[in-house]
Amino acid sequence: MQKGDMFVGWSTKEDIRKRGGSGGLVTSVLAAALDKKLVDAVVVLRKINEFEAVPVITSDVNEVLKSAGSLHSVPSNFAKIIANKNLKVALPAKGCDTRGIIEQSKRNAVSLDNTFIIGLNCGGSMHPSVTREMLEIMYKIKPEDVHGEEIEKGKLIFETKDGKEHAITIDELEEKGYGRRESCRYCMIKIPTNADLACGNWGVVGDLAGKATFVEVNSEKGAKLLQNAIDAGYVQVEKPDEKGVAARAKIKGAMEGLGKKWKDKVFVPMDNRLEYFRKELEHCIDCGACKTVCPTCSCGDVSKCTEYHLRGDAYKMSMYHLIRFLHLADSCIGCGQCSDVCPVDIPLTRLYRRFANPMQEQLKYEPGMDLRKPPYFEAKLEV
Amino acid sequence: MANVYSTICPGCNFGCGLYIRENGNLDVDFRKSSPANSGKLCRFGMSLPRLYTPVRSMVDGKEVELTEAAKDAAKRISASKGSVAFLSFGNTTCEEHLAFGKLGEAYLCTGADFEALPKDTYQTISVGIPYSEIEAAKHIVLFIDPYEQYPLIVRRILSAKKKGAKITSVWWKDLPLADENLRPADVSKLKLSGDSLVIADFHPLSDMENVKNVLSLAKNAGARITFLKPFANSTGAYILSKDAKQKSLVQLVEDINKGAIKTLFCLESDPGEMIPAETLGKLTTLIVQTGMASAITKKAHVVIAHEPLYKKKGTLINNEGRAQSLGGEGTRGLDALGVMAGVKFEFGVLNESVKKTIGINSIDEFTIPKYDRPGYAAPQASVKPVDAKTALVSVFNPFMWFGLPDDNDFVEMNLNTARALKLLKSGTLKIRSNGSAIEKRFKIGPVQENVLLTGRKFGIEKGMLTPVEISR
Amino acid sequence: MSAEAVAPNTNGWEPKIVAFCCNWCSYGGADSAGMGRFQQPPSTRIIRVMCSGRIDPLHVFNAFLEGADAVLVTGCHIGDCHYVNGNDKTKIKYKFLENVAQELGIEKERLQLNWISASEGERFANFIRDVTAQIKKLGPSPLKPAGVV
Ligand SMILES: Cc1cc2nc3c(=O)[nH]c(=O)nc-3n(C[C@H](O)[C@H](O)[C@H](O)COP(=O)(O)OP(=O)(O)OC[C@H]3O[C@@H](n4cnc5c(N)ncnc54)[C@H](O)[C@@H]3O)c2cc1C
Ligand code: SF4
Ligand code: SF4
Ligand code: SF4
Ligand code: SF4
Ligand code: FES
C-alpha cells in the first residue's frame, strides 16, 4: 500500500458498519490504531444527541466504537484539543480540523510525526442552534423526533423516528439563512488531501453505497494506519469501481464550483470599509473567545493581540482586532469557529476573510494545506 | 482521559451552557447546542477557569474533612441560636437551595428585598420573559447596560433590531445598539406602549424605588417587563423561597450592626462584595459553604468546601424560567447541609419537589415551563433625583458580584467633563467621596456629562450611585 | 532648491505624521535633511529604532490609533541593512500592514514605505513634503480618536 492508493472499505464489525457514517471504516481504523498501540490515544466525539457531542481524548476502545457515525450539526474543531498535549494520537478530521492541526504543528504545538490524521470529506457542517430552529420552522418537525439525517442530490433529508423522511433542497434552506454555516459554504477543501487518509462516501457506488467508505491514502503514515487496521482484522477493503472514482472527482468539482459562487456572493467589493468594520465590531465585548477558539493561533494566555489591548483604551478600533486581522491574514483557514462563538454575533469569519482572501491569493499561500512556513515568519518575501 | 463536564455558567442568571474540561488545569469549551446561549460566552464565562480556584474545608484555619467542618458549623450554629442568619443569593442548585431553606428557616436572606415590594409583583420580578419573546419584540426599552452587565442579551436585542424593533436605552451612556438614547433623568420623555418590552434588572443592591418606578411605567403603558438577575439560580432561589419569610440585605446589615445577628452562614455567596467590611467585622462567627476559594473563604471561621458548581448534580433555573440540569454527580453540598440541619437530604426527593414547584414532570432544557404571569397594580414609587453635581455610577457585572479582578481599573467619562477638568491624556482623575479619595485612570466615552461609570468596586461607593467630587 | 522649498499652504491644519526611522540610514537621512537646510514642514514626529526590522505592525497601528494622520516606515536600502536582512523582514511586515490598511479602507497615502540612506537628506525632506501635501488634501485620519487635534 502506498501514497495515492484508493480503496473502498468497511468495518468487519457488523454493528459498527451499520452505525458508521458510511461503513464504519474510520471508527475501526481508530480502534485498531489504539488496540495495536500505534497510538496512545484517539480523539472522538462523545455523542449526546443528534445535535450535541463533545470531543474527548480517550484510550478506551469502547468509547471509540460508540462514536461511529457522522454528526453534521456538531461544528467542532479538534486542533486545539490535541495542542500542547505531547500525545501519540489518531483522530478523525474534517478539512478545517486537518488544517488547524497542521498550523498548530508549524507553531510547535503538535508533532505531526505523532499525529495520525484520518481526514473526512466535508460538504459542510451546521450550527446546532440553527439546525433546531430550521427543523421547527422549515421542516415543521420536533428536533427530538429526528432519528438520522443525510444529504442526497442537493437535498438535506431528515428521518424521523416514525420512519418518515423529510427533504428540502440545501439551496432553499441557505437562501433562508439556514443550512450550512456560512464559512462551510465557501470552504474549498472538500476532500482533505492534506490528511493522512481522506475518507468519505463520495465515490461509493452500486451495492456498496451507504455501506462502505471511500479511502484515499495521502501519506505513508496513512498507509501504515490503514494497513494496521486491515492486518488487525478491523476493516476490509477492495479496489474502488472506476465509475466511483470518476463520480467522486465530479462531485468534488461541483462542490468547489458552488463554493466559488458563494465566495463571490459573500465577498462583494465594498466602499466605506472602515465604517463597515467599525459598525460590525462596535458590539464587541472583549470576551476573547474568537482568539481562544481559533485553531491556528497558539499563543496561549500571553499573546500580542491581548497584551497590547486595554479595555481602558478608547480607540476607534481595538488593537486586539487590528492585530488579529493582521496575524490571520496569512493564517486564517476559514473554519468559522470564531463566528460560531462570538457572543454578539459578529460575522467574524467574514471579516477575517476580507483580509485573508487577497493576502493568501497574493502570497500563493494556503494555510494548513502543506508544511510551508507562514509567510509572516519568513526571512525574505518569496512572492 | 480528561474529564469533561456539561455545565452552566454561574456568572449570571442568563443560563449559559458550556463545558468545563479538566486536564490539569481547567479549560472552557463551547457547548453550541445550549439553548440560552448557543454556546457563546461573555468575558466572565471565558474567565471561569480563573474563578474556580480550589478550596479546602477549614475550621479556624486548620484543614479538616468536609463532615468535620459541617459538624463544627452545626455546633456553632446551635450555640448561637437566635442570632444566626442564613444567606444564599442563588449561586447554587435548586436542590441545595431547598435544603438550605429548611436549615435557615429562622432567618433567611436571598439578598432580594421583596419586603419593599407589593406581593403582586413577586412573580413578575422572579421569572423573566423568554429570550425568544425578546427577539420578537417591536420596541425594547433598556434600563441596563447589556454589554457590561448581561452580555448575552445583546445578540437577542440585535436580532430583534434586525427584524425591525426599535431600541430605546435609558442609561448614563449611549449604547451602540440603541436607536434612541435617553438619560435616566429624562425618563419622563420615555414613550411606552403595549408593544414595548422593558428590560431592567433586579439584584441585592437594586434601588427599590427605581424597581417600583419601572414596574409602574410598564404597568401604566401596558408594556411587558422582564428583570435580569445576577446569580446563576436567582430565579430558582426566588421561586423556591417565595413562601418563606425573607430578610433583605439591608435588614441583615442592620441586624449585624446592632448585634442581633452574630453568626452568618453563607451558601455559595460572597457577602464581601455587598456588605461593608466593618459590618462583617462585627460577626463573631462566619461560616462559608462553597465550592471555590475567594476573599471570603480566607476570612471565614469555618469553611465547608463542597465540589465546585460544575461538578454538582442538580437543577438551575435561568431567567426565562428554563430548568437546566448540571452535568456533575456531586451532592456533597447536600450532605453538608444535612449534617447541619440534622437530617439526611436525598437528592431525588428534593429534585422531585423542585419539579413539582415549577409544575414539570421532567427536566427538558429545550422547553420552558409555563409560568403564571399575574398582573400587578402599579406600585407607588418616589424616585429621588440625584442632587449631586457629579456621580459615580456602579455598573454591576459578574466580575463585581464575584470579586474577580478584570481589566477595568478605570472610570468611563465624557470628553467635555475631562476637558473642563483639564485632564491629561493617559493621566488620572481624583475622585472624592465620603471622606476618602482615590485616583483612577479614565476612558473617554459617550457618557453623560459629570457622570463616571465603573464596572469595578473602588471602595468609596454608597450603593449604585455615589455623589462624588472630581478634579485633576 | 531651498528657496522655494517652503511648506505648502497650511489651511490652518497641520497633519501629524509619524516617521519610523532606523538608526543607521533613514534617521541619518532625516538628520542630514535638517543640517542641509532642506526645509521640511513641522508635521513629522520621528521615532528612531535601531533597525527598520524592529518596527512591529502594532507600533504602526498604535500610531494611527493615537492620532497620526500618516505613518511612514523607513530604513536602509535593501542590501544595506546594518543587521544584514532586517529590512527584508520589514518588507514582509509591511506587505501585511499594507493589506490590512487597504482592506480597512485607509487611504494608501497614509501608510508609506521608503528606503533612505544617511546621505539622502534631500530625498528625506522631499518625501516628508510630498506626504504632508498629500495628507493635507485628504484631511485628518478617520482613526484619529475623539478629542485629539
Ligand atoms: C460534518 C461532516 C460532513 C461530511 N460531508 C461529507 C460529504 O459531503 N461527502 C463525503 O463524501 N463525506 C462527507 N463526510 C464524511 C462521511 O460522512 C463519513 O464520515 C465518512 O464517509 C467516514 O465514514 P465512516 O463510516 O468510515 O465513519 P465512522 O466510522 O462513522 O466514523 C466517523 C468519525 O467521525 C467523527 N465525527 C463525526 N462527526 C464529526 C464532526 N462533525 N466533526 C469531526 N468529526 C466527526 C466521529 O467521532 C467518528 O470518529 C462528512 C462528515 C462530517 C462529519
Ligand atoms: S492573533 Fe496573533 S497574537 Fe493573537 S493569539 Fe493569534 S497569533 Fe497570537
Ligand atoms: S480567524 Fe476564525 S475562521 Fe479564521 S482560522 Fe481563526 S477561528 Fe477559523
Ligand atoms: S468573540 Fe466577538 S465579542 Fe468576543 S472578543 Fe471576539 S469579536 Fe469580541
Ligand atoms: S456571566 Fe452570564 S452572560 Fe456571561 S457567560 Fe455567564 S451566564 Fe452567560
Ligand atoms: S539597520 Fe536600517 S533597516 Fe536594518
Side-chain angles (χ1 to χ4, degrees), chain B residues 56-281:
Chain B
R56 297 265 166 78
S57 292
M58 304 263 212
V59 169
D60 293 324
K62 224 182 91 218
E63 236 177 78
V64 295
E65 285 300 306
L66 169 113
T67 326
E68 206 176 312
K71 278 186 187 151
D72 187 88
K75 246 187 261 157
R76 294 182 196 227
I77 288 169
S78 71
S80 186
K81 204 163 178 179
S83 63
V84 196
F86 296 84
L87 177 69
S88 172
F89 293 135
N91 268 323
T92 193
T93 63
C94 286
E95 288 76 9
E96 266 183 30
H97 196 84
L98 274 183
F100 167 80
K102 290 184 182 135
L103 171 70
E105 238 162 358
Y107 193 118
L108 190 111
C109 178
T110 59
D113 191 1
F114 280 109
E115 299 275 284
L117 295 167
K119 267 220 149 48
D120 61 359
T121 63
Y122 284 20
Q123 181 78 356
T124 305
I125 296 269
S126 300
V127 189
I129 287 175
Y131 307 143
S132 56
E133 234 179 276
I134 294 177
E135 285 187 56
K138 294 209 175 74
H139 179 212
I140 295 175
V141 181
L142 298 167
F143 283 86
I144 53 167
D145 177 343
Y147 297 96
E148 293 292 326
Q149 301 186 272
Y150 305 94
L152 262 294
I153 199 80
V154 170
R155 58 190 283 266
R156 306 292 187 152
I157 301 170
L158 288 173
S159 156
K161 189 170 168 166
K162 235 189 218 154
K163 294 180 198 146
K166 178 184 168 186
I167 317 295
T168 302
S169 140
V170 186
W171 193 247
W172 286 274
K173 166 185 164 186
D174 291 352
L175 301 177
L177 52 56
D179 300 296
E180 179 188 28
N181 283 289
L182 291 175
R183 299 295 174 227
D186 299 329
V187 67
S188 60
K189 292 188 196 141
L190 177 66
K191 289 200 181 61
L192 292 176
S193 75
D195 279 340
S196 308
L197 196 161
V198 176
I199 304 180
D201 74 342
F202 180 78
H203 53 72
L205 299 181
S206 283
D207 176 332
M208 297 317 281
E209 294 309 313
N210 274 331
V211 172
K212 282 194 256 177
N213 193 39
V214 287
L215 277 165
S216 345
L217 284 174
K219 165 70 190 171
N220 293 335
R224 285 166 298 165
I225 185 164
T226 186
F227 289 91
L228 303 182
K229 299 166 202 87
F231 308 107
N233 199 27
S234 298
T235 300
Y238 298 166
I239 297 176
L240 294 170
S241 38
K242 68 174 186 292
D243 299 324
K245 195 153 167 40
Q246 288 187 52
K247 301 285 193 299
S248 70
L249 193 70
V250 183
Q251 182 72 52
L252 176 62
V253 171
E254 207 180 298
D255 288 343
I256 300 174
N257 279 341
K258 69 176 190 229
I261 293 296
K262 292 209 163 63
T263 297
L264 180 64
F265 172 85
C266 305
L267 177 61
E268 287 283 27
S269 299
D270 186 347
E273 292 304 304
M274 282 166 262
I275 297 180
E278 65 267 27
T279 303
L280 283 178

Side-chain angles (χ1 to χ4, degrees), chain A residues 38-297:
Chain A
L38 210 56
V39 295
D40 301 328
V42 303
V43 179
V44 289
L45 286 175
R46 182 182 291 165
K47 180 171 169 178
I48 290 151
N49 57 47
E50 285 298 318
F51 314 105
E52 183 180 359
V54 59
V56 289
I57 304 180
T58 179
S59 301
D60 174 0
V61 177
N62 281 326
E63 175 107 47
V64 178
L65 297 180
K66 265 196 267 168
S67 76
S70 299
L71 293 165
H72 295 123
S73 292
V74 179
S76 47
N77 193 296
F78 296 161
K80 277 205 158 153
I81 307 252
I82 59 165
N84 302 310
K85 296 274 181 337
N86 242 331
L87 279 174
K88 199 156 188 189
V89 69
L91 74 173
K94 307 178 294 299
C96 53
D97 294 296
T98 312
R99 296 178 81 180
I101 294 163
I102 291 176
E103 286 304 303
Q104 290 292 326
S105 86
K106 294 180 193 174
R107 289 157 177 81
N108 299 323
V110 162
S111 148
L112 283 184
D113 290 343
N114 287 333
T115 311
F116 292 84
I117 310 173
I118 309 181
L120 302 176
N121 295 357
C122 184
S125 56
M126 302 181 286
H127 195 291
S129 297
V130 177
T131 306
R132 277 182 177 272
E133 191 183 306
M134 173 179 78
L135 285 166
E136 280 170 6
I137 292 180
M138 301 288 290
Y139 288 80
K140 316 260 184 254
I141 51 184
K142 283 210 196 89
E144 283 64 35
D145 292 340
V146 170
H147 181 60
E149 144 263 272
E150 59 179 330
I151 296 172
E152 220 183 88
K153 300 209 173 78
K155 283 185 178 157
L156 179 60
I157 307 161
F158 285 94
E159 193 188 312
T160 37
K161 286 176 185 154
D162 56 10
K164 289 207 183 91
E165 287 195 345
H166 310 254
I168 301 182
T169 65
I170 293 178
D171 284 347
E172 183 185 344
L173 295 171
E174 290 180 356
E175 219 41 68
K176 301 239 160 74
Y178 297 109
R180 296 170 300 164
R181 295 142 77 233
E182 187 179 283
S183 49
C184 297
R185 300 179 194 168
Y186 55 74
C187 169
M188 302 295 261
I189 313 304
K190 296 298 157 189
I191 296 181
T193 49
N194 49 346
D196 295 315
L197 295 173
C199 304
N201 52 300
W202 291 339
V204 186
V205 292
D207 289 348
L208 284 177
K211 296 194 197 79
T213 311
F214 191 110
V215 207
E216 183 178 350
V217 179
N218 294 330
S219 70
E220 268 168 44
K221 248 193 300 158
K224 191 166 157 197
L225 195 59
L226 185 58
Q227 194 63 54
N228 172 67
I230 297 168
D231 294 348
Y234 277 77
V235 306
Q236 206 171 319
V237 299
E238 60 181 44
K239 280 280 156 210
D241 196 306
E242 290 286 327
K243 270 187 257 159
V245 176
R248 177 173 178 261
K250 199 172 152 208
I251 309 179
K252 174 176 178 268
M255 290 299 287
E256 285 169 357
L258 188 64
K260 175 83 180 53
K261 250 201 236 148
W262 267 110
K263 193 170 168 187
D264 293 342
K265 194 165 154 181
V266 173
F267 299 101
V268 285
M270 241 183 342
D271 298 327
N272 267 336
R273 293 191 293 275
L274 188 61
E275 202 39 40
Y276 165 77
F277 284 108
R278 287 197 54 205
K279 267 263 160 275
E280 290 288 6
L281 293 174
E282 71 183 352
H283 306 298
C284 173
I285 57 160
D286 294 324
C287 71
C290 48
K291 172 210 151 189
T292 305
V293 82
C294 182
T296 70
C297 289

Side-chain angles (χ1 to χ4, degrees), chain A residues 52 55 75 129 283 286 337, chain B residues 19 21 31-32 38 43 147:
Chain A
E52 183 180 359
S129 297
H283 306 298
D286 294 324
Q337 293 299 324
Chain B
Y19 296 111
R21 206 177 271 278
R31 184 178 173 238
K32 296 180 185 177
S38 296
R43 200 174 157 76
Y147 297 96

